[in-house]
Amino acid sequence: MEAGKQVTAWYCQTRDMTVLIAGCGDLGTEAGLRFAAAGHQVVGLRRSPEKLPPEIHGVYADLSKGVPQLPADVDIVVVAVAADSSTEEAYRAAYLNGVKNVLDALERQSLEPRRILFVSSTAVYKDSGGAVVDESTPTEPTRFSGKILVEAEDLLFARTHGTATRPISLRLGGIYGPGRTRLIDQVRTGKAVIPAQPRHTNRVHRDDAAAMIVHLTTMEQVPDPVYVGVDDYPAEMGEVMQFLAAGMGCPEPPTAEPGGASDAGPGDKRCSNALLRASGFDFAFPTFEEGYRALLDGQGVRHP
Ligand SMILES: NC(=O)c1ccc[n+]([C@@H]2O[C@H](COP(=O)([O-])OP(=O)(O)OC[C@H]3O[C@@H](n4cnc5c(N)ncnc54)[C@H](OP(=O)(O)O)[C@@H]3O)[C@@H](O)[C@H]2O)c1
């Protein structure tokens, strides 16, 4: 448990912590740059560490197989690995083996970082017919992806139980941001179709997701175990498409025939960020409008 003088001392420490980012891709790098800018030492683990910017000390690791010697003074661990493909095997290798191997390495070296944050997903929740979903909603994933993420979260919670480490699962909605142009491209090329049944899209800009990682791992307040990481406004998909079409001067996408092939069907949920907001987090892009406006203006880069 985090209690006593040692913890108080850490809360006063705003610089000079050692942060390990396991699976340091686009999101991990953006978070790493923010940790570095705040004066912390950042180590990034990935299979191609040469792609990392100079602010992040890159170390080769295949997290699905094992983790090398870790810095002995590690204070914060972030697991932000992504699966190589959308198969059950790839998900198990990245998320489950990734978390297990990081925890094994820490245990091997008898290290107990203050906080470990696992980047999870709102895919752990089943569609709720448009009802509001938050941290108190039971995880009932219907697909293998959500099931494996729940297994990885459970492993993190079980293995840190009774230790000095505070585990956090950050369940992110759909990340959009620089270089993630699928929806923009669909609207621009006339391939986008507005679902006939209203369907909410729970989104978060990459920069806000990175800022959440820094906030939750360094905030003075003791973090809760789970946070839903989405922006303020679960917009309907059609609304986002119409906004993009207007912003790019393209024709408005057509609406699908109810029950037709391009109708997304009734699956739907609206995720709430109230707990994250209550922790003091502020968004740079509170809704898709601010975020997509910045993207259409060409702001930001996707990290390799
Ligand atoms: N995309 C979404 O909408 C969404 C939604 C919710 C949550 N998330 C989560 O957000 C997180 C970050 O996503 P992202 O966009 O930053 O992904 P990304 O850019 O693909 O970064 C993930 C990084 O993980 C590394 N990696 C993959 N397998 C590895 C392995 N076996 N060993 C070591 N490193 C490995 C890759 O680097 P190397 O190839 O160099 O190893 C890659 O750069 C992921 O946890 C993802 O599940 C994403």
Side-chain angles (χ1 to χ4, degrees):
M1 294 293 289
E2 284 187 359
K5 284 183 189 148
Q6 220 185 340
V7 173
T8 311
W10 176 54
Y11 286 160
C12 298
Q13 186 183 342
T14 53
R15 299 172 72 82
D16 274 344
M17 288 197 278
T18 297
V19 181
L20 176 80
I21 302 183
C24 199
D26 182 35
L27 178 60
T29 299
E30 183 60 31
L33 290 172
R34 287 161 186 256
F35 280 118
H40 305 302
Q41 327 302 319
V42 186
V43 177
L45 301 182
R46 62 187 290 177
R47 293 162 301 184
S48 41
E50 70 284 353
K51 291 181 182 164
L52 291 171
E55 292 89 338
I56 300 175
H57 177 68
V59 175
Y60 173 88
D62 182 343
L63 298 171
S64 67
K65 302 202 170 109
V67 170
Q69 185 81 2
L70 297 177
D73 57 351
V74 63
D75 297 295
I76 293 169
V77 175
V78 176
V79 181
V81 66
D84 285 333
S85 65
S86 291
T87 63
E88 186 164 346
E89 198 185 358
Y91 266 66
R92 285 200 176 280
Y95 299 108
L96 211 48
N97 292 357
V99 168
K100 180 181 178 302
N101 287 329
V102 168
L103 293 169
D104 284 351
L106 290 168
E107 197 175 287
R108 220 172 29 240
Q109 291 178 242
S110 306
L111 301 177
E112 290 193 1
R114 271 87 176 225
R115 292 179 189 175
I116 302 181
L117 184 147
F118 172 61
V119 179
S120 183
S121 161
T122 53
V124 300
Y125 300 114
K126 70 172 182 188
D127 286 340
S128 59
V132 173
V133 162
D134 66 12
E135 293 78 3
S136 66
T137 307
T139 54
E140 295 173 283
T142 46
R143 296 192 62 234
F144 73 83
S145 49
K147 287 180 186 162
I148 291 169
L149 288 170
V150 170
E151 276 187 63
E153 288 184 358
D154 287 347
L155 185 66
L156 172 64
F157 294 139
R159 294 270 305 261
T160 50
H161 185 74
T163 72
T165 300
R166 176 75 53 168
I168 307 165
S169 174
L170 175 59
R171 295 175 178 162
L172 294 177
I175 302 174
Y176 71 102
R180 300 175 191 248
T181 55
R182 196 160 63 106
L183 193 59
I184 293 176
D185 294 342
Q186 283 175 354
V187 172
R188 183 183 284 126
T189 56
K191 291 191 182 131
V193 179
I194 297 175
Q197 305 218 33
R199 188 182 176 82
H200 292 90
T201 143
N202 298 282
R203 286 172 181 266
V204 59
H205 190 286
R206 191 270 325 258
D207 289 357
D208 279 329
M212 286 172 199
I213 291 174
V214 177
H215 170 74
L216 293 173
T217 53
T218 59
M219 68 181 180
E220 187 167 336
Q221 175 191 331
V222 176
D224 280 311
V226 175
Y227 289 87
V228 171
V230 295
D231 70 15
D232 284 343
Y233 181 49
E236 281 183 24
M237 188 54 116
E239 222 181 325
V240 182
M241 290 177 179
Q242 284 161 346
F243 177 85
L244 289 174
M248 294 187 289
C250 300
E252 197 168 288
T255 300
E257 291 296 321
S262 50
D263 181 9
D268 196 14
K269 61 192 170 207
R270 284 183 297 142
C271 297
S272 163
N273 65 15
L275 186 67
L276 183 69
R277 277 280 192 194
S279 76
F281 185 77
D282 248 344
F283 286 80
F285 305 102
T287 77
F288 74 89
E289 293 201 6
E290 292 84 8
Y292 274 116
R293 205 170 283 131
L295 295 184
L296 293 177
D297 284 348
Q299 287 177 31
V301 287
R302 185 171 188 162
H303 304 294

Coordinates of all heavy atoms in Angstrom, one line a residue, residues 194-247:
I194 N -23.0 6.6 -43.1 CA -23.5 6.8 -41.7 C -24.4 5.7 -41.3 O -25.3 5.3 -42.1 CB -24.3 8.2 -41.7 CG1 -23.3 9.3 -42.0 CG2 -25.0 8.4 -40.4 CD1 -24.0 10.7 -42.2
P195 N -24.2 5.1 -40.2 CA -25.0 3.9 -39.8 C -26.5 4.4 -39.6 O -26.8 5.5 -39.2 CB -24.5 3.5 -38.4 CG -23.2 4.2 -38.2 CD -23.1 5.4 -39.2
A196 N -27.4 3.5 -40.1 CA -28.8 3.9 -40.0 C -29.3 4.0 -38.5 O -30.1 4.8 -38.2 CB -29.6 2.8 -40.7
Q197 N -28.7 3.1 -37.7 CA -29.1 3.1 -36.3 C -28.0 4.0 -35.6 O -26.8 3.8 -35.8 CB -29.0 1.7 -35.7 CG -29.9 0.8 -36.4 CD -30.5 -0.2 -35.4 OE1 -30.9 0.2 -34.3 NE2 -30.7 -1.4 -35.9
P198 N -28.4 4.9 -34.7 CA -27.4 5.8 -34.0 C -26.4 4.9 -33.3 O -26.7 4.0 -32.7 CB -28.3 6.6 -33.0 CG -29.7 6.4 -33.5 CD -29.8 5.2 -34.3
R199 N -25.1 5.3 -33.5 CA -24.1 4.5 -32.9 C -23.1 5.5 -32.3 O -22.5 6.3 -33.1 CB -23.4 3.6 -33.9 CG -22.5 2.6 -33.3 CD -21.8 1.8 -34.4 NE -20.8 1.0 -33.8 CZ -21.1 -0.2 -33.2 NH1 -22.3 -0.6 -33.2 NH2 -20.1 -0.9 -32.6
H200 N -22.8 5.4 -31.0 CA -21.9 6.4 -30.4 C -20.4 5.9 -30.6 O -20.2 4.7 -30.6 CB -22.2 6.6 -28.9 CG -23.5 7.3 -28.7 ND1 -24.7 6.6 -28.6 CD2 -23.8 8.6 -28.7 CE1 -25.6 7.4 -28.4 NE2 -25.2 8.6 -28.5
T201 N -19.6 6.9 -30.7 CA -18.2 6.6 -30.9 C -17.4 7.2 -29.7 O -17.6 8.4 -29.5 CB -17.6 7.0 -32.2 OG1 -16.3 7.5 -32.1 CG2 -18.4 8.1 -32.9
N202 N -16.7 6.4 -29.0 CA -16.0 6.8 -27.8 C -14.6 7.0 -28.1 O -13.8 6.1 -28.4 CB -16.2 5.8 -26.7 CG -17.6 5.6 -26.3 OD1 -18.2 6.4 -25.6 ND2 -18.3 4.6 -26.8
R203 N -14.1 8.3 -28.2 CA -12.8 8.6 -28.8 C -11.9 9.3 -27.8 O -12.4 9.9 -26.8 CB -13.0 9.6 -29.9 CG -13.6 8.9 -31.1 CD -14.0 9.8 -32.2 NE -14.5 8.9 -33.2 CZ -13.8 8.4 -34.2 NH1 -12.6 8.8 -34.4 NH2 -14.4 7.5 -35.0
V204 N -10.6 9.3 -28.1 CA -9.7 10.1 -27.3 C -8.5 10.4 -28.3 O -8.1 9.6 -29.1 CB -9.2 9.3 -26.1 CG1 -8.5 8.0 -26.5 CG2 -8.2 10.1 -25.2
H205 N -8.2 11.7 -28.2 CA -7.0 12.1 -29.0 C -5.7 11.5 -28.5 O -5.6 11.5 -27.2 CB -7.0 13.7 -29.1 CG -6.0 14.2 -30.0 ND1 -4.6 14.2 -29.8 CD2 -6.2 14.8 -31.2 CE1 -4.0 14.8 -30.9 NE2 -4.9 15.1 -31.7
R206 N -4.8 11.1 -29.3 CA -3.6 10.5 -28.9 C -2.9 11.4 -27.8 O -2.3 10.9 -26.8 CB -2.7 10.3 -30.1 CG -1.4 9.5 -29.9 CD -0.1 10.3 -29.6 NE 0.1 11.6 -30.0 CZ 0.9 11.9 -31.1 NH1 1.5 11.0 -31.7 NH2 1.1 13.2 -31.4
D207 N -2.8 12.7 -28.0 CA -2.1 13.6 -27.1 C -2.8 13.6 -25.7 O -2.1 13.6 -24.7 CB -2.1 15.0 -27.6 CG -1.1 15.2 -28.8 OD1 -0.5 14.2 -29.1 OD2 -1.1 16.3 -29.3
D208 N -4.1 13.5 -25.7 CA -4.8 13.5 -24.4 C -4.6 12.1 -23.7 O -4.4 12.0 -22.5 CB -6.3 13.7 -24.6 CG -6.7 15.2 -24.7 OD1 -6.0 16.0 -24.0 OD2 -7.6 15.6 -25.4
A209 N -4.5 11.1 -24.5 CA -4.3 9.7 -23.9 C -2.9 9.7 -23.3 O -2.7 9.2 -22.2 CB -4.4 8.7 -25.0
A210 N -1.9 10.3 -24.0 CA -0.5 10.4 -23.4 C -0.5 11.2 -22.1 O 0.1 10.9 -21.1 CB 0.4 11.0 -24.5
A211 N -1.3 12.4 -22.2 CA -1.3 13.2 -21.0 C -2.0 12.5 -19.8 O -1.6 12.7 -18.7 CB -2.1 14.5 -21.3
M212 N -3.0 11.6 -20.1 CA -3.6 10.8 -19.0 C -2.6 9.9 -18.4 O -2.6 9.7 -17.1 CB -4.7 10.0 -19.6 CG -6.0 10.7 -20.0 SD -7.1 9.5 -20.9 CE -8.1 10.7 -21.7
I213 N -1.7 9.3 -19.2 CA -0.7 8.4 -18.6 C 0.2 9.1 -17.7 O 0.4 8.7 -16.5 CB 0.1 7.8 -19.8 CG1 -0.8 6.8 -20.6 CG2 1.3 7.0 -19.2 CD1 -0.1 6.3 -21.9
V214 N 0.6 10.3 -18.0 CA 1.5 11.1 -17.2 C 0.7 11.5 -15.9 O 1.2 11.4 -14.8 CB 2.1 12.3 -17.9 CG1 2.9 13.2 -17.0 CG2 2.9 11.9 -19.2
H215 N -0.5 12.0 -16.1 CA -1.3 12.5 -15.0 C -1.5 11.4 -14.0 O -1.3 11.6 -12.8 CB -2.6 13.0 -15.5 CG -3.6 13.3 -14.5 ND1 -3.5 14.4 -13.7 CD2 -4.8 12.7 -14.1 CE1 -4.6 14.4 -12.8 NE2 -5.3 13.4 -13.1
L216 N -2.0 10.2 -14.4 CA -2.4 9.2 -13.5 C -1.2 8.6 -12.8 O -1.3 8.1 -11.6 CB -3.2 8.1 -14.2 CG -4.5 8.5 -14.7 CD1 -5.1 7.4 -15.6 CD2 -5.5 8.9 -13.6
T217 N 0.0 8.6 -13.4 CA 1.2 7.9 -12.8 C 1.9 8.9 -11.9 O 2.8 8.5 -11.1 CB 2.1 7.4 -13.8 OG1 2.4 8.4 -14.8 CG2 1.5 6.2 -14.5
T218 N 1.6 10.2 -12.0 CA 2.4 11.2 -11.2 C 1.6 12.0 -10.3 O 2.1 12.8 -9.5 CB 3.2 12.2 -12.1 OG1 2.3 12.8 -13.0 CG2 4.2 11.4 -13.0
M219 N 0.2 11.9 -10.4 CA -0.6 12.8 -9.6 C -0.4 12.5 -8.1 O -0.1 11.3 -7.7 CB -2.1 12.7 -10.0 CG -2.7 11.4 -9.7 SD -4.4 11.4 -10.2 CE -5.0 9.7 -9.8
E220 N -0.6 13.5 -7.3 CA -0.4 13.4 -5.9 C -1.5 12.4 -5.2 O -1.1 11.6 -4.4 CB -0.6 14.8 -5.2 CG -0.3 14.8 -3.8 CD -0.1 16.2 -3.2 OE1 0.2 17.1 -4.0 OE2 -0.3 16.4 -2.0
Q221 N -2.7 12.6 -5.7 CA -3.8 11.7 -5.2 C -3.5 10.2 -5.5 O -3.0 9.9 -6.6 CB -5.0 12.2 -6.0 CG -6.3 11.4 -5.8 CD -7.3 11.9 -6.8 OE1 -7.3 13.1 -7.3 NE2 -8.2 11.0 -7.2
V222 N -3.8 9.3 -4.6 CA -3.6 7.9 -4.9 C -4.6 7.5 -5.9 O -5.8 7.7 -5.8 CB -3.8 7.1 -3.6 CG1 -3.7 5.6 -3.9 CG2 -2.8 7.5 -2.5
P223 N -4.1 6.9 -7.0 CA -5.0 6.6 -8.1 C -6.0 5.4 -7.8 O -5.6 4.5 -7.1 CB -4.1 6.2 -9.3 CG -2.8 5.8 -8.6 CD -2.7 6.5 -7.3
D224 N -7.1 5.4 -8.5 CA -8.0 4.3 -8.5 C -7.4 3.2 -9.3 O -6.5 3.5 -10.2 CB -9.4 4.7 -9.0 CG -10.2 5.4 -7.9 OD1 -10.3 4.9 -6.8 OD2 -10.8 6.5 -8.2
P225 N -7.9 2.0 -9.2 CA -7.3 0.9 -10.1 C -7.7 1.0 -11.6 O -7.0 0.6 -12.4 CB -7.9 -0.4 -9.5 CG -8.8 0.0 -8.4 CD -8.8 1.4 -8.2
V226 N -8.9 1.6 -11.8 CA -9.3 1.7 -13.2 C -9.8 3.0 -13.6 O -10.5 3.7 -12.8 CB -10.5 0.7 -13.4 CG1 -11.1 0.8 -14.8 CG2 -10.1 -0.8 -13.2
Y227 N -9.4 3.5 -14.8 CA -10.0 4.7 -15.3 C -10.4 4.5 -16.8 O -9.7 3.8 -17.5 CB -8.9 5.8 -15.3 CG -8.6 6.4 -14.0 CD1 -7.6 5.7 -13.2 CD2 -9.3 7.4 -13.4 CE1 -7.3 6.2 -11.9 CE2 -9.0 7.9 -12.1 CZ -8.0 7.3 -11.4 OH -7.7 7.7 -10.1
V228 N -11.6 5.0 -17.1 CA -12.0 5.0 -18.5 C -11.4 6.3 -19.2 O -11.6 7.4 -18.7 CB -13.6 5.1 -18.6 CG1 -14.0 5.3 -20.0 CG2 -14.1 3.7 -18.0
G229 N -10.7 6.1 -20.3 CA -10.0 7.2 -20.9 C -10.6 7.6 -22.2 O -10.2 7.1 -23.3
V230 N -11.7 8.4 -22.1 CA -12.3 8.9 -23.4 C -12.6 10.4 -23.2 O -12.5 10.9 -22.1 CB -13.7 8.2 -23.6 CG1 -13.6 6.7 -23.8 CG2 -14.6 8.5 -22.4
D231 N -12.9 11.1 -24.3 CA -13.1 12.5 -24.2 C -14.5 12.8 -23.6 O -15.2 11.8 -23.2 CB -12.8 13.2 -25.5 CG -13.8 12.9 -26.6 OD1 -14.9 12.4 -26.3 OD2 -13.6 13.2 -27.8
D232 N -14.9 14.0 -23.6 CA -16.2 14.4 -22.9 C -17.4 14.0 -23.6 O -18.5 14.0 -23.0 CB -16.2 16.0 -22.8 CG -15.3 16.5 -21.7 OD1 -14.9 15.7 -20.8 OD2 -15.0 17.7 -21.7
Y233 N -17.3 13.7 -24.9 CA -18.5 13.7 -25.7 C -18.6 12.4 -26.6 O -17.9 12.3 -27.6 CB -18.6 14.9 -26.6 CG -19.8 15.0 -27.4 CD1 -21.1 14.8 -26.9 CD2 -19.8 15.3 -28.8 CE1 -22.2 14.9 -27.7 CE2 -20.9 15.4 -29.6 CZ -22.1 15.2 -29.0 OH -23.2 15.2 -29.8
P234 N -19.4 11.4 -26.1 CA -19.6 10.2 -27.0 C -20.5 10.6 -28.2 O -21.7 10.5 -28.1 CB -20.2 9.2 -26.1 CG -20.6 9.9 -24.8 CD -20.2 11.3 -24.9
A235 N -19.9 11.1 -29.2 CA -20.7 11.6 -30.4 C -21.2 10.4 -31.2 O -20.7 9.3 -31.2 CB -19.8 12.5 -31.3
E236 N -22.3 10.7 -31.9 CA -22.8 9.7 -32.9 C -21.8 9.7 -34.1 O -21.4 10.8 -34.5 CB -24.2 10.0 -33.3 CG -25.2 9.6 -32.2 CD -26.6 9.8 -32.6 OE1 -26.9 9.8 -33.8 OE2 -27.5 9.9 -31.7
M237 N -21.6 8.5 -34.6 CA -20.7 8.4 -35.7 C -21.0 9.3 -36.9 O -20.2 9.9 -37.5 CB -20.7 6.9 -36.2 CG -19.6 6.6 -37.2 SD -18.0 7.1 -36.6 CE -17.2 5.5 -36.5
G238 N -22.4 9.4 -37.1 CA -22.8 10.3 -38.3 C -22.4 11.7 -38.1 O -22.0 12.4 -39.0
E239 N -22.5 12.2 -36.8 CA -22.1 13.5 -36.5 C -20.6 13.8 -36.8 O -20.3 14.8 -37.3 CB -22.3 13.7 -35.0 CG -22.9 14.9 -34.5 CD -23.0 14.9 -32.9 OE1 -23.2 13.8 -32.3 OE2 -22.9 16.0 -32.4
V240 N -19.8 12.8 -36.4 CA -18.3 13.0 -36.7 C -18.1 13.0 -38.2 O -17.4 13.9 -38.7 CB -17.5 11.8 -36.1 CG1 -16.0 12.0 -36.3 CG2 -17.8 11.7 -34.6
M241 N -18.8 12.1 -38.9 CA -18.6 12.1 -40.4 C -19.1 13.4 -41.1 O -18.4 13.9 -41.9 CB -19.3 10.9 -41.0 CG -18.7 9.6 -40.6 SD -19.8 8.3 -41.3 CE -18.9 6.8 -40.8
Q242 N -20.2 13.9 -40.6 CA -20.7 15.2 -41.1 C -19.8 16.3 -40.9 O -19.5 17.2 -41.7 CB -22.1 15.5 -40.6 CG -23.2 14.6 -41.2 CD -24.5 14.5 -40.4 OE1 -24.5 14.9 -39.2 NE2 -25.5 14.0 -41.0
F243 N -19.2 16.3 -39.7 CA -18.3 17.4 -39.3 C -17.0 17.3 -40.2 O -16.6 18.4 -40.7 CB -17.9 17.2 -37.8 CG -16.8 18.2 -37.3 CD1 -17.2 19.4 -36.9 CD2 -15.5 17.9 -37.3 CE1 -16.3 20.3 -36.4 CE2 -14.5 18.8 -36.9 CZ -14.9 20.0 -36.4
L244 N -16.5 16.1 -40.4 CA -15.3 16.0 -41.3 C -15.7 16.4 -42.7 O -14.9 17.1 -43.4 CB -14.8 14.5 -41.2 CG -14.2 14.1 -39.9 CD1 -13.8 12.6 -40.0 CD2 -12.9 14.9 -39.7
A245 N -16.8 16.0 -43.2 CA -17.2 16.3 -44.6 C -17.3 17.9 -44.7 O -16.7 18.4 -45.7 CB -18.5 15.7 -44.9
A246 N -17.9 18.5 -43.8 CA -18.0 20.0 -43.8 C -16.6 20.6 -43.8 O -16.3 21.5 -44.5 CB -18.9 20.5 -42.7
G247 N -15.8 20.1 -42.9 CA -14.4 20.6 -42.7 C -13.5 20.5 -43.9 O -12.7 21.3 -44.2

